[in-house]
Amino acid sequence: MLTLFLQERQSISLWRGQSVLAIRTLKILLFTMISMWKTMFIREWWENRDVVTLITRPPRFGKTLLISMVERFFSIEYDGQGSVFEGLSIWQDEEYRQLQGAYPVISLSFADIKEGDFKGARKKICQIITDLYHKYMFLENGLEGSEKDFFQKVSPDMPDYVATLSLKSLSGYLSRYYGKRLLFFWTSMILLCKRLM
């Protein structure tokens, strides 16, 4: 039996073999509760003004889902698409409705890097960074001289010095282009490190 406590005196119990409809209802309730909890994270995180936030939870705990939701909330790419958050606690506050879609965001995941050796992992990381640069190709038009040369050096075979500076440089380009600070979300870094150890 699975019991989900909704409020102080309410609970839903499911016995093995109950209908699919009951299970779907439970999934919707769980999704709604998780969404509400995760939108509370947006408020708490924003108000803390942390420079760096490390979220450590066991595998399959929803870290990537959390980061995707935070990205969708803040990213300029999703400006005007706040209807996803309607009905959730974060949307009740006008200040947070104004923050939706207001910032440049880089979201990076190393979850797909399955290589167990450094050389293979490095190649895949460089490809992910190259794909990220392609996503923001429009920035190249506003660059000149050494910045434009650097932008063009980013590739799957880029030298180490380009790879190590690539994310810092892209962050600077985006921040300057939009005239706002950049939010950077990075997932599955620890998982990658474990694979390479």
Side-chain angles (χ1 to χ4, degrees), residues 86-111:
E86 285 178 15
L88 300 176
S89 62
I90 196 73
W91 208 247
Q92 306 299 320
D93 190 332
E94 176 64 29
E95 176 188 353
Y96 285 92
R97 286 197 301 271
Q98 296 302 315
L99 290 174
Q100 192 280 318
Y103 286 89
V105 171
I106 291 178
S107 187
L108 189 63
S109 174
F110 286 165

Side-chain angles (χ1 to χ4, degrees), residues 102-166:
Y103 286 89
V105 171
I106 291 178
S107 187
L108 189 63
S109 174
F110 286 165
D112 291 335
I113 301 174
K114 308 292 186 205
E115 288 71 11
D117 64 294
F118 177 77
K119 187 176 181 182
R122 182 194 184 285
K123 183 83 167 169
K124 191 89 170 245
I125 290 169
C126 289
Q127 183 60 59
I128 289 169
I129 293 170
T130 301
D131 293 346
L132 197 57
Y133 265 70
H134 287 159
K135 178 179 177 179
Y136 297 110
M137 190 63 79
F138 65 89
L139 294 171
E140 188 178 3
N141 296 333
L143 302 176
E144 295 179 7
S146 62
E147 284 186 329
K148 190 169 195 134
D149 292 341
F150 183 87
F151 197 98
Q152 293 169 348
K153 287 179 184 173
V154 174
S155 73
D157 299 313
M158 65 183 118
D160 288 343
Y161 82 93
V162 174
T164 57
L165 292 173
S166 60

Side-chain angles (χ1 to χ4, degrees), residues 25-68:
T25 303
L26 178 62
K27 285 181 180 177
I28 290 168
L29 284 170
L30 285 171
F31 177 76
T32 302
M33 290 177 67
I34 288 169
S35 296
M36 289 171 63
W37 171 76
K38 289 186 184 306
T39 60
M40 298 291 280
F41 172 83
I42 292 173
R43 181 187 311 275
E44 185 178 325
W45 176 74
W46 188 256
E47 290 175 2
N48 281 342
R49 304 267 184 225
D50 296 330
V51 175
V52 174
T53 303
L54 176 63
I55 301 170
T56 57
R57 292 286 184 266
R60 302 283 169 247
F61 195 80
K63 297 177 296 293
T64 302
L65 175 64
L66 174 70
I67 297 303
S68 295

Side-chain angles (χ1 to χ4, degrees), residues 2-13 26 33:
L2 170 65
T3 302
L4 173 67
F5 293 96
L6 298 175
Q7 291 180 351
E8 193 173 311
R9 293 189 180 138
Q10 294 178 317
S11 66
I12 294 177
S13 297
L26 178 62
M33 290 177 67

